[in-house]
């Protein structure tokens, strides 16, 4: 299978599912499909990130590689006076995230197709969240880190989840080359939650 979820137009046959998840104490219903990341349910790494992330109530938040929306939609509930922008290169994921925002009655979001952060480079955010697309390769992941630095306000923070075996040490080193402070906030079953402050 040469195609993975980091594709602009997935060609996998549709295989629509509905999954229910409880994130930060709230029940969500998500519609998922073939050709998007973690279609059978919210992956463990994203759950660890959602549980750990700290967001000011009025924050402008960016979710990079949003998939069908779990991280960004959970974040939107944490920022009732703020807004979350969800971006993904995958048009199927973007459509699902829009549908899931409506399904869960979440309105303080904007959802758009974007190759990494290309469509939002002219904006500024307080927080960037990402479960980076490891399968797309280190160059893509590190480019997301670089672009996240560019769009963050001073003292803004990038939160990422990454598995130790999938390049956490090199990710940490890359973040330290960009950001003024990089800390490991949490770790769980091999997943590391890293916060990098501009």
């Amino acid at each position: 299978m040469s195609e993975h979820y980091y594709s602009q137009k997935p060609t996998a046959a549709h295989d629509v599912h509905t999954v229910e998840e409880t994130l930060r104490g709230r029940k969500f219903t998500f519609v998922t499909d073939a050709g998007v990341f973690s279609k059978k349910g919210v992956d463990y790494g994203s759950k660890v990130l959602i549980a750990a992330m700290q967001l000011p109530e009025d924050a402008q938040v960016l979710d990079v590689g949003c998939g069908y929306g779990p991280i960004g939609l959970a974040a939107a509930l944490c920022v009732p006076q703020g807004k979350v922008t969800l971006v993904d290169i995958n048009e199927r994921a973007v459509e699902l995230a829009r549908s899931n925002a409506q399904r869960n009655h979440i309105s303080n979001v904007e959802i758009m197709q974007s190759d990494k952060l290309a469509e939002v480079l002219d904006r500024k955010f307080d927080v960037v969240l990402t479960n980076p697309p490891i399968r797309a390769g280190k160059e893509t992941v590190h480019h997301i880190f670089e672009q996240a630095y560019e769009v963050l306000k001073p003292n803004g923070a990038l939160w990422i989840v990454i598995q130790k075996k999938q390049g956490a040490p090199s990710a940490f080193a890359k973040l330290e080359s960009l950001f003024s402070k990089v800390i490991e906030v949490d770790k769980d079953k091999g997943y590391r939650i890293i916060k990098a402050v501009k």
Side-chain angles (χ1 to χ4, degrees):
M1 182 169 147
S2 61
E3 179 184 272
H4 54 70
Y5 57 84
Y6 195 79
S7 302
Q8 200 161 350
K9 290 181 180 288
T11 55
H14 286 284
D15 181 23
V16 177
H17 287 279
T18 301
V19 297
E20 293 193 350
E21 301 278 0
T22 299
L23 305 171
R24 292 186 80 119
R26 155 119 186 225
K27 283 195 169 136
F28 289 84
T29 303
F30 296 113
V31 174
T32 76
D33 197 354
V36 301
F37 176 63
S38 195
K39 69 176 185 198
K40 293 200 166 77
V42 180
D43 66 293
Y44 196 77
S46 291
K47 288 180 177 177
V48 178
L49 176 59
I50 289 164
M53 62 191 184
Q54 297 157 12
L55 307 171
E57 287 198 348
D58 61 350
Q60 295 293 316
V61 181
L62 175 66
D63 174 13
V64 180
C66 64
Y68 53 82
I71 296 172
L73 296 180
L77 295 181
C78 301
V79 296
Q81 282 95 54
K83 182 178 162 189
V84 182
T85 302
L86 295 81
V87 298
D88 202 298
I89 191 173
N90 181 326
E91 67 179 18
R92 192 176 289 183
V94 169
E95 286 166 15
L96 288 167
R98 285 188 181 129
S99 163
N100 287 327
Q102 292 174 337
R103 184 175 300 272
N104 292 283
H105 310 292
I106 297 168
S107 58
N108 59 329
V109 290
E110 178 184 11
I111 302 163
M112 66 174 86
Q113 190 170 4
S114 175
D115 183 358
K116 301 186 278 283
L117 284 72
E119 300 300 319
V120 294
L121 288 173
D122 58 342
R123 304 195 196 178
K124 292 293 176 194
F125 297 92
D126 301 294
V127 179
V128 178
L129 306 167
T130 188
N131 182 346
I134 300 298
R135 282 199 224 167
K138 184 191 282 191
E139 192 177 321
T140 295
V141 172
H142 287 191
H143 193 212
I144 288 171
F145 297 165
E146 290 164 2
Q147 289 183 317
Y149 180 86
E150 292 301 319
V151 301
L152 279 166
K153 297 175 187 174
N155 299 313
L158 167 65
W159 290 75
I160 73 162
V161 57
I162 193 164
Q163 279 185 284
K164 188 175 181 186
K165 67 183 185 201
Q166 288 183 325
S170 75
F172 205 90
K174 176 66 177 178
L175 291 168
E176 285 193 313
S177 77
L178 293 166
F179 290 82
S180 61
K181 184 166 79 170
V182 183
I183 50 173
E184 186 177 278
V185 176
D186 196 8
K187 57 183 177 187
D188 188 348
K189 296 187 181 173
Y191 288 94
R192 302 277 196 276
I193 303 298
I194 300 170
K195 178 186 180 186
V197 181
K198 184 166 177 176

